[in-house]
Short mmCIF file of all heavy atoms in Angstrom, two decimals:
data_model
loop_
_atom_site.label_atom_id
_atom_site.label_comp_id
_atom_site.label_asym_id
_atom_site.label_seq_id
_atom_site.Cartn_x
_atom_site.Cartn_y
_atom_site.Cartn_z
N LYS A 204 -7.98 15.90 12.96
CA LYS A 204 -7.47 17.19 12.92
C LYS A 204 -8.54 18.22 13.24
O LYS A 204 -9.58 18.20 12.78
CB LYS A 204 -6.95 17.46 11.37
CG LYS A 204 -6.50 18.92 11.22
CD LYS A 204 -5.17 19.18 11.75
CE LYS A 204 -4.83 20.63 11.77
NZ LYS A 204 -3.59 20.93 12.44
N ARG A 205 -8.07 18.97 14.30
CA ARG A 205 -8.99 20.02 14.72
C ARG A 205 -8.50 21.47 14.44
O ARG A 205 -7.23 21.68 14.47
CB ARG A 205 -9.19 19.99 16.30
CG ARG A 205 -9.93 18.81 16.73
CD ARG A 205 -10.20 18.80 18.13
NE ARG A 205 -10.49 17.44 18.70
CZ ARG A 205 -9.61 16.60 18.97
NH1 ARG A 205 -8.19 16.97 19.04
NH2 ARG A 205 -9.86 15.33 19.37
N PHE A 206 -9.40 22.34 14.07
CA PHE A 206 -8.98 23.76 13.99
C PHE A 206 -9.83 24.43 15.08
O PHE A 206 -11.01 24.62 14.98
CB PHE A 206 -9.42 24.38 12.59
CG PHE A 206 -8.64 23.85 11.49
CD1 PHE A 206 -9.25 22.95 10.50
CD2 PHE A 206 -7.23 24.15 11.37
CE1 PHE A 206 -8.45 22.45 9.43
CE2 PHE A 206 -6.53 23.54 10.31
CZ PHE A 206 -7.13 22.80 9.35
N GLY A 207 -9.10 24.64 16.17
CA GLY A 207 -9.85 25.19 17.42
C GLY A 207 -10.83 24.06 17.81
O GLY A 207 -10.52 22.94 18.06
N PHE A 209 -13.35 23.14 16.02
CA PHE A 209 -13.91 22.46 14.78
C PHE A 209 -13.13 21.25 14.41
O PHE A 209 -11.97 21.31 14.28
CB PHE A 209 -13.92 23.54 13.70
CG PHE A 209 -14.43 23.02 12.39
CD1 PHE A 209 -15.90 23.00 12.21
CD2 PHE A 209 -13.64 22.54 11.34
CE1 PHE A 209 -16.39 22.46 11.15
CE2 PHE A 209 -14.23 22.07 10.25
CZ PHE A 209 -15.56 22.05 10.07
N VAL A 210 -13.79 20.16 14.28
CA VAL A 210 -13.16 18.93 13.91
C VAL A 210 -13.25 18.74 12.35
O VAL A 210 -14.31 18.55 11.75
CB VAL A 210 -13.86 17.70 14.52
CG1 VAL A 210 -13.06 16.50 14.15
CG2 VAL A 210 -13.94 17.88 16.02
N ALA A 211 -12.09 19.03 11.72
CA ALA A 211 -12.02 18.93 10.21
C ALA A 211 -11.93 17.46 9.68
O ALA A 211 -12.34 17.18 8.75
CB ALA A 211 -10.85 19.86 9.79
N LEU A 212 -11.10 16.69 10.51
CA LEU A 212 -11.05 15.30 10.19
C LEU A 212 -11.28 14.47 11.47
O LEU A 212 -10.68 14.74 12.53
CB LEU A 212 -9.57 14.93 9.62
CG LEU A 212 -9.15 15.50 8.30
CD1 LEU A 212 -7.77 15.28 7.96
CD2 LEU A 212 -10.13 15.01 7.20
N GLY A 229 -16.03 14.92 -2.45
CA GLY A 229 -16.89 15.26 -1.33
C GLY A 229 -17.31 16.64 -1.48
O GLY A 229 -16.73 17.51 -2.30
N PRO A 230 -18.26 17.14 -0.63
CA PRO A 230 -18.77 18.56 -0.73
C PRO A 230 -17.71 19.48 -0.19
O PRO A 230 -16.82 19.12 0.55
CB PRO A 230 -20.07 18.46 0.11
CG PRO A 230 -19.84 17.33 1.05
CD PRO A 230 -18.90 16.31 0.34
N SER A 231 -17.91 20.76 -0.48
CA SER A 231 -17.09 21.79 -0.07
C SER A 231 -17.05 21.87 1.45
O SER A 231 -18.02 21.63 2.16
CB SER A 231 -17.56 23.11 -0.58
OG SER A 231 -16.67 24.14 -0.18
N GLY A 232 -15.86 21.95 2.08
CA GLY A 232 -15.74 21.93 3.58
C GLY A 232 -15.63 20.65 4.14
O GLY A 232 -15.71 20.50 5.33
N GLY A 233 -15.68 19.55 3.38
CA GLY A 233 -15.79 18.21 3.92
C GLY A 233 -14.54 17.74 4.48
O GLY A 233 -14.51 16.73 5.24
N GLY A 234 -13.35 18.41 4.28
CA GLY A 234 -12.10 17.95 4.79
C GLY A 234 -11.14 17.37 3.72
O GLY A 234 -10.12 16.87 4.17
N LYS A 235 -11.53 17.49 2.44
CA LYS A 235 -10.57 16.84 1.37
C LYS A 235 -9.23 17.48 1.39
O LYS A 235 -8.22 16.76 1.51
CB LYS A 235 -11.28 17.00 0.06
CG LYS A 235 -12.67 16.51 -0.03
CD LYS A 235 -13.27 16.80 -1.42
CE LYS A 235 -13.35 18.22 -1.87
NZ LYS A 235 -14.35 18.97 -1.07
N SER A 236 -9.15 18.81 1.31
CA SER A 236 -7.86 19.59 1.29
C SER A 236 -7.11 19.20 2.48
O SER A 236 -5.93 19.00 2.53
CB SER A 236 -8.11 20.99 1.12
OG SER A 236 -8.72 21.21 -0.09
N THR A 237 -7.79 19.19 3.66
CA THR A 237 -7.13 18.98 4.95
C THR A 237 -6.49 17.58 4.96
O THR A 237 -5.32 17.53 5.34
CB THR A 237 -8.11 19.17 6.11
OG1 THR A 237 -8.74 20.37 6.00
CG2 THR A 237 -7.35 19.11 7.44
N LEU A 238 -7.16 16.60 4.45
CA LEU A 238 -6.61 15.20 4.44
C LEU A 238 -5.39 15.16 3.55
O LEU A 238 -4.35 14.67 3.82
CB LEU A 238 -7.67 14.24 3.97
CG LEU A 238 -7.25 12.78 3.82
CD1 LEU A 238 -6.68 12.30 5.16
CD2 LEU A 238 -8.53 11.92 3.43
N LEU A 239 -5.50 15.77 2.39
CA LEU A 239 -4.39 15.84 1.43
C LEU A 239 -3.13 16.55 1.99
O LEU A 239 -2.08 16.18 1.88
CB LEU A 239 -4.81 16.55 0.14
CG LEU A 239 -4.10 16.15 -1.09
CD1 LEU A 239 -4.43 14.67 -1.47
CD2 LEU A 239 -4.60 17.02 -2.37
N ARG A 240 -3.48 17.62 2.77
CA ARG A 240 -2.32 18.40 3.28
C ARG A 240 -1.71 17.64 4.47
O ARG A 240 -0.50 17.87 4.71
CB ARG A 240 -2.83 19.82 3.76
CG ARG A 240 -3.26 20.60 2.52
CD ARG A 240 -4.05 21.87 3.01
NE ARG A 240 -3.29 22.66 3.97
CZ ARG A 240 -2.35 23.55 3.47
NH1 ARG A 240 -2.20 23.75 2.16
NH2 ARG A 240 -1.63 24.18 4.25
N GLU A 246 0.22 20.13 6.94
CA GLU A 246 -0.66 20.35 8.03
C GLU A 246 -0.42 19.17 8.94
O GLU A 246 -0.13 18.05 8.45
CB GLU A 246 -2.20 20.31 7.64
CG GLU A 246 -3.09 21.04 8.51
CD GLU A 246 -3.22 22.50 8.04
OE1 GLU A 246 -3.86 22.72 6.89
OE2 GLU A 246 -2.71 23.33 8.71
N GLN A 275 -4.39 23.97 -5.43
CA GLN A 275 -5.68 24.44 -6.13
C GLN A 275 -5.45 25.70 -7.00
O GLN A 275 -5.88 25.79 -8.13
CB GLN A 275 -6.74 24.60 -5.20
CG GLN A 275 -8.12 24.95 -5.71
CD GLN A 275 -9.09 24.81 -4.75
OE1 GLN A 275 -8.93 24.40 -3.53
NE2 GLN A 275 -10.32 25.17 -5.19
N ASP A 351 -4.62 18.98 -5.44
CA ASP A 351 -5.69 19.56 -4.70
C ASP A 351 -6.63 20.37 -5.72
O ASP A 351 -6.23 21.43 -6.25
CB ASP A 351 -5.27 20.61 -3.67
CG ASP A 351 -6.46 20.97 -2.77
OD1 ASP A 351 -7.68 20.54 -3.08
OD2 ASP A 351 -6.26 21.59 -1.73
N GLU A 352 -7.72 19.82 -6.11
CA GLU A 352 -8.62 20.31 -7.14
C GLU A 352 -7.86 20.92 -8.33
O GLU A 352 -7.90 22.15 -8.58
CB GLU A 352 -9.50 21.50 -6.51
CG GLU A 352 -10.33 20.96 -5.37
CD GLU A 352 -11.66 21.54 -5.19
OE1 GLU A 352 -12.19 22.21 -6.23
OE2 GLU A 352 -12.24 21.52 -4.04
N VAL A 383 -8.08 15.72 -5.56
CA VAL A 383 -9.24 16.16 -4.82
C VAL A 383 -10.24 16.74 -5.77
O VAL A 383 -9.77 17.44 -6.79
CB VAL A 383 -8.89 17.28 -3.77
CG1 VAL A 383 -10.08 18.05 -3.35
CG2 VAL A 383 -8.14 16.65 -2.58
N THR A 384 -11.35 16.41 -5.60
CA THR A 384 -12.40 17.08 -6.59
C THR A 384 -13.73 17.10 -5.75
O THR A 384 -13.97 16.22 -4.94
CB THR A 384 -12.63 16.36 -7.87
OG1 THR A 384 -13.55 16.95 -8.67
CG2 THR A 384 -12.96 14.86 -7.70
N HIS A 385 -14.65 18.06 -6.25
CA HIS A 385 -16.00 18.03 -5.69
C HIS A 385 -16.98 17.68 -6.81
O HIS A 385 -18.19 17.82 -6.69
CB HIS A 385 -16.47 19.21 -4.81
CG HIS A 385 -16.21 20.47 -5.46
ND1 HIS A 385 -15.46 21.52 -4.83
CD2 HIS A 385 -16.60 20.93 -6.62
CE1 HIS A 385 -15.42 22.53 -5.64
NE2 HIS A 385 -16.20 22.23 -6.84
N VAL A 400 -15.44 11.67 0.92
CA VAL A 400 -15.24 12.40 2.23
C VAL A 400 -16.31 13.40 2.49
O VAL A 400 -16.56 14.18 1.64
CB VAL A 400 -13.83 13.12 2.21
CG1 VAL A 400 -13.57 13.80 3.54
CG2 VAL A 400 -12.69 12.08 1.93
N GLY A 403 -15.73 15.49 7.51
CA GLY A 403 -14.55 15.11 8.25
C GLY A 403 -14.46 13.55 8.36
O GLY A 403 -13.60 13.04 9.14
N1 ATP C 2834 -6.47 26.78 8.58
C1 ATP C 2834 -7.74 26.62 9.01
N2 ATP C 2834 -8.23 27.16 10.13
C2 ATP C 2834 -9.48 26.90 10.50
N3 ATP C 2834 -10.42 26.11 9.80
C3 ATP C 2834 -9.88 25.53 8.69
C4 ATP C 2834 -8.60 25.70 8.23
N4 ATP C 2834 -8.50 25.00 7.17
C5 ATP C 2834 -9.64 24.40 6.95
N5 ATP C 2834 -10.52 24.63 7.88
C6 ATP C 2834 -11.89 24.14 8.00
O1 ATP C 2834 -11.91 22.70 7.91
C7 ATP C 2834 -12.95 22.28 7.06
C8 ATP C 2834 -12.38 21.44 6.00
O2 ATP C 2834 -11.61 22.19 5.11
P1 ATP C 2834 -11.08 21.69 3.80
O3 ATP C 2834 -10.26 22.73 3.18
O4 ATP C 2834 -10.35 20.40 3.98
O5 ATP C 2834 -12.32 21.40 2.98
P2 ATP C 2834 -12.43 20.81 1.45
O6 ATP C 2834 -13.22 19.60 1.50
O7 ATP C 2834 -11.13 20.86 0.73
O8 ATP C 2834 -13.35 21.88 0.81
P3 ATP C 2834 -13.35 22.66 -0.62
O9 ATP C 2834 -13.94 21.69 -1.63
O10 ATP C 2834 -14.25 23.74 -0.46
O11 ATP C 2834 -11.96 23.00 -0.97
C9 ATP C 2834 -13.69 23.53 6.59
O12 ATP C 2834 -14.90 23.67 7.34
C10 ATP C 2834 -12.77 24.63 6.93
O13 ATP C 2834 -13.51 25.82 7.26
#
Side-chain angles (χ1 to χ4, degrees):
Chain A
K204 174 73 191 174
R205 289 186 201 87
F206 293 109
F209 181 79
V210 183
L212 292 176
S231 187
K235 308 180 296 293
S236 298
T237 308
L238 179 56
L239 206 66
R240 294 167 60 80
E246 207 89 73
Q275 183 165 358
D351 192 355
E352 302 212 19
V383 165
T384 179
H385 54 234
V400 179

